[in-house]
Amino acid sequence: FVIAAAVSSLVLIARPYETTQEKIGVQKRDIMLCLDVSYSLYELNYELADYLEDVVTELKGDRFGITIFNTTSVVFVPLTDDYSYVVTRLEELKKYFMLQEEYEDMIGEGPYITFDTDEEWDAYYELDAELAYIEAGTLVNNQDRGSSLIGEGLASSLYSFPSLGDESRTRIIIFATDNADSARVPEIPDLEGASALCKKNDVTVFAIFPNENAYY
């Protein structure tokens, strides 16, 4: 009994403990905005970019990125927690969508582009040059490959996430498109295949479609 009492005393004096680790709070997210920048979507894209400016400024610890696509895809903003930089780039996108609207209003609905004065032609060439500068990366080989390659656009956004196998962060794609795929070549992958890849990599896609009465 004396030996048992002594051993018990030593155990109590040593204060044995067990360490456990628990996750608390909100899991941080990687959010990618993926925009189909076809001209039919300038109104929706402008509204979305404008709304997300306020959302981005409220983020804490989340990372935000932007990809844009038409025929080909461009990483417009790599994933970052520099929210002021993201807002600056969203402002640039808004200006681009305003230029798209101006272009659509300028050329009208006719099959041919025509103007009555040299001043109108000069304004058209200037606007066209501004748009071409922004769109250089999104219309590569568009005459051969077509436009709005939606599956490839979504897949490119997916693979813009670093370390897809890392489960420590929730991954989200906000995907805006009118689903008007005008590809002239087989997409690799197509929309169904890109969606399956997102599911396989545990990436949630929130798709945003414009008013179906106004578009396709």
Side-chain angles (χ1 to χ4, degrees):
F1 287 112
V2 172
I3 293 173
V7 171
S8 299
S9 298
L10 289 173
V11 171
L12 292 173
I13 292 172
R15 296 182 178 180
Y17 64 91
E18 180 181 351
T19 300
T20 60
Q21 187 176 18
E22 297 182 9
K23 291 184 178 180
I24 60 174
V26 179
Q27 189 176 20
K28 299 306 180 184
R29 298 164 296 182
D30 287 343
I31 304 169
M32 190 68 71
L33 174 63
C34 179
L35 296 178
D36 179 346
V37 292
S38 303
Y39 279 54
S40 57
L41 281 159
Y42 66 78
E43 186 174 0
L44 171 66
N45 285 338
Y46 182 94
E47 292 178 2
L48 187 56
D50 188 54
Y51 172 77
L52 286 173
E53 281 189 31
D54 293 331
V55 173
V56 166
T57 57
E58 299 297 324
L59 297 178
K60 297 185 185 299
D62 301 305
R63 296 185 297 191
F64 196 92
I66 304 172
T67 62
I68 60 176
F69 74 93
N70 194 337
T71 305
T72 46
S73 298
V74 171
V75 177
F76 196 73
V77 178
L79 277 175
T80 180
D81 58 4
D82 185 346
Y83 305 132
S84 60
Y85 172 68
V86 175
V87 169
T88 298
R89 296 293 272 171
L90 286 170
E91 280 290 323
E92 293 176 10
L93 280 176
K94 285 166 60 178
K95 292 178 181 178
Y96 169 49
F97 301 137
M98 291 174 65
L99 289 175
Q100 287 185 326
E101 180 180 16
E102 184 179 345
Y103 183 87
E104 290 289 282
D105 291 341
M106 181 180 290
I107 65 173
E109 298 180 358
Y112 304 105
I113 300 173
T114 180
F115 300 104
D116 297 326
T117 65
D118 291 340
E119 289 76 12
E120 289 177 316
W121 277 110
D122 289 341
Y124 166 76
Y125 289 133
E126 182 178 349
L127 177 58
D128 187 60
E130 286 187 81
L131 288 167
Y133 176 79
I134 300 171
E135 295 167 350
T138 62
L139 292 173
V140 178
N141 295 330
N142 69 302
Q143 292 183 345
D144 297 324
R145 303 189 72 235
S147 60
S148 291
L149 276 68
I150 301 169
E152 293 187 9
L154 179 58
S156 295
S157 187
L158 168 68
Y159 286 109
S160 296
F161 288 116
S163 305
L164 277 174
D166 182 6
E167 298 180 356
S168 64
R169 300 180 74 89
T170 300
R171 290 186 168 87
I172 296 168
I173 295 177
I174 302 172
F175 184 42
T177 180
D178 57 8
N179 204 27
D181 193 328
S182 300
R184 297 175 182 170
V185 296
E187 292 186 73
I188 306 174
D190 59 13
L191 181 57
E192 183 177 355
S195 300
L197 286 170
C198 290
K199 182 178 180 180
K200 178 181 177 181
N201 288 283
D202 200 26
V203 175
T204 301
V205 179
F206 293 99
I208 301 175
F209 187 81
N211 186 331
E212 61 181 6
N213 295 322
Y215 298 101
Y216 298 91

